[in-house]
Amino acid sequence: MYFLMVSILSATPYSPVHPVTNVVPLSLVLLVSLIKEAFEDWKRFQNDMAINNTLVDVLQDQRWECIPWKRLQVGDIVRVKQDGFFPADLLLLASTNPDGVCYIETANLDGETNLKIRKALERTWDYLTPDKACEFKGEVQCEQPNNSLYTFTGNLVMENQTLPLSPNQLLLRGCSLKNTQYIVGAVIFTGHETKVMMNSMNVPSKRSTLERKLDKLILTLFGTLFTMCLIGAIGSGVFINKKYYFLGLEKGVEDQFNPNNRFLVTLLTMLTLLTLYSTIIPISLYVSIEMIKFIQSTQFINKDLNMYHVETNTPALARTSNLNEELGQVEYIFSDKTGTLTRNLMEFFKCSIGGEIYGTGVTEIERGIAERNGIKLQEEKVTNAAHEKGFNFDDERLMRGAWRNEANSDACKEFFRCLAICHTVLPEGDESPEKIKYQAASPDEAALVIAAKNFGFFFYRRTPTMVYVRESHVERMGKIQDVPYEILNVLEFNSTRKRQSVVCRYPDGRLVLYCKGADTVIYERLAVGNDNLKKVTREHLEQFGASGLRTLCLAYRDLAPDMYESWNEKFIQAKSSLRDREKKLDEVAELIENNLVLIGATAIEDKLQEGVPNCIETLSRAGIKIWVLTGDKIETAINIAYACNLMNNEMKQFIISSETDAIREVEERGDQVEIARFIKEEVKKELKKCIDEVQQYFHNVSGPKLALVIDGKCLMYALDPSLRVMLLTLSLNCASVVCCRVSPLQKAQVTSLVKKGARKITLSIGDGANDVSMIQAAHIGVGISGLEGMQAVMASDFAIAQFRFLKDLLLVHGRWSYLRICKVVTYFFYKNLTFTLTQFWFTFNTGFSGQRFYDDWFQSLYNVIFTSFPVIILGLFDKDVSASLSKRYPELYKEGIRNVFFKWRVVAIWAFFAVYQSLVFYHFVTTSSSAAQSSSGKTFGLWDVSTMAFTCVVVTVNLRLLMMCNSITRWHYIGVGGSIVAWFLFIFLYSGLMTKHDRQENIYWVIYILMSTAYFYVTLLLVPVAALLGDFIYQGVQRWFFPYDYQIVQEIHSHEPDDSRTELLEIGNQLTPEEARSYAISQLPRELSKHTGFAFDSPGYESFFASQLGIKAPQKAWDVARRACARSKPKVSKKEKR
Amino acid sequence: MASSSAGGPGSGDAAPPRRNSKRPKYSRFTQQELPACKPILTPRWVISAFLLVGIVFIPIGVISLFASQDVVEIVDRYDSVCIPKNFTNDKVKYIQSPGSKPPCHRILNVTKHMKQPIYVYYQLDNFYQNHRRYVKSRNDKQLRDPSSENDISGCKPEDSNSRGVIVPCGLIAWSLFNDTYNFSHNNQQLKVNRRGISWKSDRDHKFGKDVFPKNFQSGGLIGGGKLAYNVSLSEQEDLIVWMRTAALPTFRKLYGKIEVDLQKGDVINVTLGNYYNTYSFNGKKKLVLSTTSWLGGKNDFLGIAYLTVGGLCFFLALSFTLIYLIKPRQLGDPTFLSWNRGPGGH
């Protein structure tokens, strides 16, 4: 807008410059940004089209018709097939499964992967086929669209019959259908009215904080501009006087110079100066930055081999290019658990039977600890190649019946039977070990049953009363027999009991209760005696827990038949009671679940994504705090926090949970208002207590690190405005925070709490639809791509395949981007300020008339051509330390968090040197040109002097760029050299040509006159050096006495070759032959990598070394050209040194 | 690092070219591994850079200063002296009064041998030739091309008068400097060559050979010098010189050349025609006689600047060396890393 205004102004007679010179760069800049926007919009449009055009079967004229999602309307009857996603919120009418039941996976909504059951109303079961379904007539009355995922109330009115609807009949968009051939449903909400979409907040347009700070800088520049204009304008009002008769001020003077109206003169000169100084606002800054970021994201981030995931064939994807440098300043990461940190894969990993640990696996976390201690773990390459999903266990002592030879083989037998019998898993499919599939409420259970199968206790069939297990090697090696167990009672798992028991009768009549559950509850109920086993097993449990494994204790109890009978009566009574059935059942269960005999413990690995603990460790060393926000249970969440290194036993934990007795008691009373009030009080109390403690720890420095665990219900109240501040202070003091049982919206609220409350830069990472709102709420949203379910990726700004790539994304790309953008911005600021200030100083010597110092075209092309290219090169190629060093010294990242490179102090230093340099330019050039400048005695005019000054400015500003580079590639030389050459070419042409349409031949032949004098060369050497002297001293002193961290790291590794290459060697083996060759060539010693600029002249140099290594390198024309470049280089680099 | 690759697939299954692999192609550009030199500003570099600048600059400074010292320059301010005594309180009135003014006599002493050519300059002060209204008040087309005679855009207010368009139009031409100098030495006229005082490019291209002055200085108010109507603009060199507007309000312009040597002790009589009005705005007028060197006229600035920068660099090199010796900082000392320094250390 501003530039438009200036362009308009420049078309008025008040302008000192020609309008065309203002309009051309402006339109150039606009054009470039227009093209970029159009390109990004087009890509977004394509994505939307892809989703909107997904096909779905809709009932039309008694047939199923395929129509795209976007044409779906409320009231349509749709058919969704197995594994398909629901296109809208549907009312389940009928399913191919008996009883109108269907299974859905809600991983996209809440991250839980266990299947959930939805049941259609009995009345609608029949509408399965098209001809039936088209008879369906009904009216659905329901609540307004809202964002609550777990509630739904409504009525279905059919033939004057009102049937109540519950969440049980609702299929939400984003879920997918499992284990059901197809279902038929009626569309209730579509598009933005669906609950998923209501949960996702409006897509905020994201701009990086750095850019916002940049706006402030621009505003400051505007302030400077107006101050300068004001000074100049007042000066002009004072200056103008009839005594300067040569200005012709006697009669008929236009307003701007009319000495009789000084006020008007001031006003109009203001406008003049506004256009004159307009160069202080860098017109091409935004465009340059956008261009740089665009290339950074499309070329660097998207194509980084380090972030390419081979298994899923997914490269990283930057969906927006706005936030690259934001990646370099992240302080808080909010991570989803399932699918992000973990693979959502439970694997039986270890066990402890009768006081003996089995299982040789090493968890990621153990590996991490060992690595930190410097112990090299023997690489267990041979993780039994054929291991099944859910079973990652290898121990010769137990497998293939070998357990029979163990000392405690009886315990082993009980252990395996417990695993095989005590569960609620449903077998599915063929009854052979290879093909069977288990349907379990949780993947843990399935993993345990699979483990039993692998140990030779193959559970293959379940009837309502029986469990069939095919047991191998029990009586003697190799013998296989099918054993039916009668299941008498199942005491189910719930979160208060934390255990599950099964009473079964052996074929031989033995009555056994098998029980598995959390160690705390099992240990309470163990029979007295055998303390040694208990102790050892407890130690094992702790060991497992510390390795990040999920543990369960197994126990059994032999029951006497009469005792069982009496208990069973009570149980049946409780089961048939109408009031408080749950509670009574629990009480009854309590009666029998005691006097247990401990068998052992299982350890299941909630399989983490590859490299997660290492990545988290690195990130926390980089000063980034990681919060886990998950829909999981509190125990699971804590467990994962342990597994990921987020928590350890040295940490002081604060747990704020709603699962306390006091709260439960109030909840049972059922008064909603009372519950709310009470929980709020509780939460407040807890928070206060924690904060007090925190304060204590804060006072003594060496206190332990703190961790906060809070669950969703408490969070709901803690996020209340009155408690929010407390929550924030508490959580900001904690090294890690785990929020469990949180809804998608709460995830977003927590994110924005930190974003807005603490004003820190936040990043959210997640993979499912339940993370969408969080991803959008954070400064940066990162989606995990490569798996099914694209919602998170669609909402994200960056998509990566694995959590561990976050390390590359932040520490390498983010840091570099931040560094580069900072440099680009400050450099832009500097070069424009310097340039404009020379103009400003000149104003003082022109009677404040607003006469331009430089020719119009110099002025407008300065930004667009003479100084723009090198800075883009800088923004693309500058790197302080190599990628591997960035990861090796994650602490370097802290410089970004502290925003070291774009503080006002940094800007002020640049500004200071800009003033200094402009003074040097102006005064050196003008003072030295006061006398004759050539031996012919002729003197210079205005345009000679200004061209001289402009040449100095262009040269200096470009060399200054080289001075601020950390690494100088040949592109830098091309850029800087090219810019200077471009200037000379331009001036040679511009001053050499005289056309008919020339406005004023100010510049005619000027450069030739200048270059004919010795003065030109003497000044050209003096002024840039004098101007850069200040900067050079500053840089030298700064580096010497107050070095930045990265500078020290540079120094430490200055003598090493670029070691990112050694790391890439791994990638080397994935290269195509052609790439491998170019890669191998890149490994060769190279003249350009040496600082001295030493150049080999032997033409066969490259091919010689290459052929030694068995690589054929074609001699290319550009090789020669490049070598030529290398030869001309030393001259440039020498100048830069000064 | 090595362990992280363990999970990756062996090269075996990755080697066969997969058609729809999305694996980015390896290139050093996209992997940001372009070869680069990484200059580190170590103290040694800093010191040697300073030394280098010092070594290069001081000789240049000395040479420049010598060149400037070689130049002999005689400056004589005459603006107030050349006003008759009875007009000292009203100089403007004197200079604006029509009619011929008595010549003014000045005596210049040559203090040093001056080799020919000796350049004669006039120097004006407080004269804003770079004022925006002034700078744009000309029309280059008109100056160059006789057929564009009527092109007087931008020339206001001196574009035309009652007799028609003015050639050359505009304030610059109108305010042409018109003091005259005549030199004599031992009662012998010193010839002042007023040819070849302008840049050739101006003469040949900017001022037309067949453009002649017209209606010049014939309006009500006379700004300055007049031009001979029968001499083409390209030969009116004093106009050409004048119209190459100066950058600063204090400027020198070439008046002519004296093409004989002047000896030390010579006394030169100058007969001045004092016509030009700088009195309105309190501007000084100076007459300058100067020889030149390869670097131009007398200007110590360049030499001093070179010496200063060079000397400063030497000084800095020295002090940096001292600091380097007294309190060296081990390069790449990890204890300097901020996270190793601990919270207490600055």
Side-chain angles (χ1 to χ4, degrees), chain B residues 12 62 66 105 138 149 182 188 233 237 280 282 298 307 312 323 331-332 337 341:
Chain B
V62 171
F66 270 122
H105 294 283
R138 63 192 280 167
E149 188 182 284
N182 284 300
Q188 206 175 348
L233 288 187
E237 289 205 37
S280 308
N282 296 322
K298 189 173 185 68
L307 282 178
L312 190 65
I323 298 170
L331 274 188
L337 290 169
R341 262 178 279 172

Side-chain angles (χ1 to χ4, degrees), chain A residues 325-427:
Chain A
E325 77 276 7
E326 194 97 328
L327 287 173
Q329 294 185 278
V330 173
E331 191 166 358
Y332 285 91
I333 293 181
F334 298 94
S335 173
D336 177 39
K337 185 191 82 74
T338 320
T340 308
L341 295 175
T342 65
R343 299 185 197 184
N344 200 23
L345 192 68
M346 300 296 172
E347 289 190 335
F348 188 85
F349 200 69
K350 278 186 178 184
C351 60
S352 157
I353 306 172
E356 188 74 33
I357 288 191
Y358 298 95
T360 54
V362 179
T363 59
E364 288 268 358
I365 186 169
E366 285 173 317
R367 196 170 295 148
I369 293 168
E371 251 166 43
R372 248 167 288 146
N373 297 341
I375 305 164
K376 263 275 183 274
L377 283 171
Q378 69 280 21
E379 203 53 61
E380 18 65 80
K381 262 289 202 208
V382 277
T383 39
N384 54 337
H387 93 244
E388 195 178 345
K389 187 181 165 189
F391 188 71
N392 181 13
F393 179 88
D394 195 24
D395 196 326
E396 285 305 319
R397 290 175 296 171
L398 291 186
M399 302 303 288
R400 286 170 287 280
W403 54 271
R404 283 171 58 88
N405 305 328
E406 287 294 299
N408 45 18
S409 61
D410 281 341
C412 289
K413 196 159 59 181
E414 292 298 335
F415 185 87
F416 300 144
R417 278 197 179 128
C418 183
L419 291 183
I421 296 167
C422 180
H423 55 75
T424 53
V425 173
L426 281 170

Side-chain angles (χ1 to χ4, degrees), chain A residues 821-841:
Chain A
I821 298 293
C822 283
K823 283 194 172 178
V824 168
V825 168
T826 46
Y827 178 75
F828 258 103
F829 168 74
Y830 146 80
K831 81 178 166 80
N832 284 42
L833 190 63
T834 309
F835 180 71
T836 312
L837 280 177
T838 54
Q839 177 72 67
F840 182 59
W841 307 134

Side-chain angles (χ1 to χ4, degrees), chain A residues 888-906:
Chain A
R888 202 162 131 197
Y889 297 95
E891 290 88 349
L892 289 177
Y893 190 80
K894 285 180 182 159
E895 289 173 340
I897 296 178
R898 278 185 269 122
N899 201 5
V900 171
F901 300 111
F902 196 53
K903 281 187 188 161
W904 286 114
R905 204 168 66 91
V906 179

Side-chain angles (χ1 to χ4, degrees), chain A residues 210-226:
Chain A
L210 200 128
E211 233 166 81
R212 239 169 279 147
K213 192 149 181 213
L214 176 62
D215 292 346
K216 276 191 212 153
L217 180 67
I218 299 287
L219 270 182
T220 319
L221 280 179
F222 270 114
T224 320
L225 171 68
F226 282 113

Side-chain angles (χ1 to χ4, degrees), chain A residues 14-15 239 243-249 254 256-257 272 299-300 303-305 308 310 313 315 371 610 813 816 820 842 845-847 849-851 877 879 891 922 924 926-928 930-942 944 966-969 971 973 994 996 1000-1001 1004-1006 1009 1014-1015 1018 1021-1022 1025 1029 1032-1033 1035 1037 1039-1041 1043 1045 1048 1050-1052 1054 1058 1064 1066 1069-1071 1075 1079 1082 1086 1091 1137-1138, chain B residues 1 3-7 9 11 20-26 28-41 43 45-46 49-50 52-53 57 60 119 121 126-128 130-135 138 140-141 144 157 171 174-175 196-199 201 205-206 223 244-249 252 254 276-277 280-281 292-299 301-302 305-306 309 312-313 316 320 323-324 329 331-333 336-339 341:
Chain A
Y14 308 117
S15 163
F239 174 85
K243 70 183 181 185
Y244 298 105
Y245 71 90
F246 52 88
L247 299 179
L249 298 172
E254 65 265 37
Q256 193 176 4
F257 298 110
T272 306
Q299 296 299 311
F300 295 160
K303 296 196 174 167
D304 189 347
L305 284 175
Y308 168 72
V310 183
N313 188 21
E371 251 166 43
E610 202 181 308
H813 290 284
W816 279 349
R820 290 167 181 169
F842 182 64
N845 276 333
T846 63
S849 59
Q851 171 59 29
F877 297 119
K879 39 178 188 177
E891 290 88 349
Y922 182 66
F924 275 40
T926 52
T927 313
S928 65
S930 63
Q933 277 87 21
S934 76
S935 46
S936 68
K938 294 163 193 160
T939 51
F940 282 169
L942 167 60
D944 309 280
N966 280 311
S967 63
I968 299 174
T969 66
W971 288 99
Y973 297 123
M994 179 143 65
K996 275 248 162 71
Q1000 308 249 296
E1001 289 89 20
Y1004 180 69
W1005 220 248
V1006 159
I1009 288 176
Y1015 163 81
V1018 174
L1021 180 62
L1022 170 73
V1025 171
L1029 189 68
F1032 189 78
I1033 295 171
Q1035 281 197 350
V1037 169
R1039 175 149 210 147
W1040 200 335
F1041 300 107
D1045 289 335
I1048 294 172
Q1050 277 178 346
E1051 286 162 12
I1052 296 175
S1054 61
D1058 206 348
L1064 258 179
E1066 296 158 18
N1069 54 23
Q1070 296 169 24
L1071 298 172
E1075 286 173 343
Y1079 174 70
S1082 77
R1086 180 169 290 274
H1091 176 68
K1137 278 285 135 262
R1138 268 167 218 147
Chain B
M1 283 299 134
S3 67
S4 66
S5 70
S11 52
N20 48 3
S21 167
K22 289 184 197 147
R23 198 178 77 82
K25 273 214 153 105
Y26 174 82
R28 285 203 295 190
F29 172 69
T30 55
Q31 300 310 309
Q32 309 194 56
E33 287 174 3
L34 290 171
C37 71
K38 303 193 177 78
I40 295 179
L41 219 52
W45 271 107
V46 175
F50 280 140
L52 185 72
V53 173
F57 268 41
I60 298 182
Y119 297 98
Y121 301 94
N126 210 12
F127 191 100
Y128 286 86
N130 58 11
H131 196 277
R132 192 155 76 90
R133 184 176 163 82
Y134 190 82
V135 171
R138 63 192 280 167
D140 283 349
K141 220 176 229 170
R144 190 176 63 219
L171 285 169
W174 175 72
S175 58
I197 54 172
S198 59
W199 296 100
S201 57
H205 299 283
K206 284 187 156 181
R244 197 174 184 95
T245 51
L248 296 177
R252 259 176 209 190
L254 193 55
Y276 198 69
N277 179 12
S280 308
F281 50 90
T292 58
S293 65
W294 58 273
L295 202 54
K298 189 173 185 68
N299 194 340
F301 178 80
L302 277 178
Y306 262 102
V309 172
L312 190 65
C313 284
L316 285 169
F320 268 63
I323 298 170
Y324 184 56
R329 175 171 77 85
L331 274 188
D333 185 353
F336 271 88
L337 290 169
S338 62
W339 58 92
R341 262 178 279 172

Side-chain angles (χ1 to χ4, degrees), chain A residues 552-602:
Chain A
L552 277 180
C553 274
L554 304 188
Y556 76 99
R557 179 188 181 184
D558 280 314
L559 298 172
D562 48 341
M563 183 251 167
Y564 170 73
E565 286 307 326
S566 64
W567 174 81
N568 197 24
E569 267 171 39
K570 287 181 201 150
F571 181 74
I572 291 166
Q573 216 170 14
K575 212 171 172 182
S576 53
S577 71
L578 292 173
R579 286 187 64 246
D580 290 337
R581 188 191 297 166
E582 297 281 317
K583 201 175 166 190
K584 280 183 182 159
L585 275 176
D586 287 0
E587 279 164 11
V588 174
E590 203 68 45
L591 294 174
I592 199 166
E593 288 171 329
N594 54 34
N595 272 324
L596 301 174
V597 179
L598 183 66
I599 317 171
T602 59

